[in-house]
Amino acid sequence: MLGQLLLGWHGAQPIDGGRLWRDGERVLGDSKTWRGLIIGVAATTIVSLLMDLGGKFGALFGLLSLTGDMLSSFIKRRRHLRSSAQAIGLDQLPEAILPVAVGAFWLGYGWEVTAVTVLLFMLANMVFSPLLYRLGIRRRPY
């Protein structure tokens, strides 16, 4: 919704261009848009700059997070799950572990911080996504 407010309909096209995989399902689905990718990477870049971590780190962090999210969508489509279907773990793990692992390398924190960060992200996502949906902030509950 924020992306639509900022960019209107520019970039609202799905990243997969509507293409089907060999199983007859969409590659990613309508909810993975160029607008979302652009806004997501821009937002993490800005926050990273504000936190004095550098723009490259922020852009990479955001890109990896959204890549993990697209990987989850790809797997869900292969399992013939609709885009809003809940898949605990699959909805959170790739989106969290890819950027946090790079953060561990880039910032030098240990495996304990990595594990706790991924776990906290997963729990927060499971709690706040349905809440934001009920408040009308998210279009899908998961």
Side-chain angles (χ1 to χ4, degrees):
M1 294 173 84
L2 176 63
Q4 186 175 353
L5 180 67
L6 294 172
L7 296 177
W9 292 104
H10 298 289
Q13 302 81 11
I15 292 172
D16 68 8
R19 290 181 197 84
L20 302 178
W21 194 250
R22 58 185 150 218
D23 60 5
E25 297 281 345
R26 288 281 298 276
V27 175
L28 299 173
D30 285 335
S31 65
K32 305 301 171 218
T33 65
W34 291 107
R35 179 177 59 201
L37 182 65
I38 292 164
I39 293 291
V41 172
T44 55
T45 301
I46 291 167
V47 170
S48 183
L49 287 167
L50 292 172
M51 295 176 67
D52 222 12
L53 296 172
K56 287 180 185 176
F57 174 77
L60 181 60
F61 193 91
L63 185 61
L64 288 172
S65 178
L66 292 165
T67 299
D69 185 46
M70 287 186 276
L71 176 62
S72 296
S73 290
F74 179 80
I75 294 169
K76 286 171 76 171
R77 298 301 85 73
R78 305 299 63 81
R79 296 177 68 199
H80 305 288
L81 298 172
R82 66 186 195 287
S83 59
S84 60
Q86 183 180 16
I88 294 177
L90 180 57
D91 284 328
Q92 300 86 20
L93 192 58
E95 184 177 349
I97 204 160
L98 291 175
V100 171
V102 166
F105 173 76
W106 195 295
L107 302 174
Y109 48 80
W111 70 268
E112 298 93 347
V113 172
T114 302
V116 168
T117 302
V118 168
L119 179 63
L120 288 175
F121 174 85
M122 290 177 68
L123 291 172
N125 183 272
M126 287 186 275
V127 169
F128 289 112
S129 285
L131 177 63
L132 294 172
Y133 172 73
R134 279 187 236 122
L135 293 172
I137 297 170
R138 281 186 63 117
R139 291 190 180 168
R140 292 176 178 81
Y142 300 101

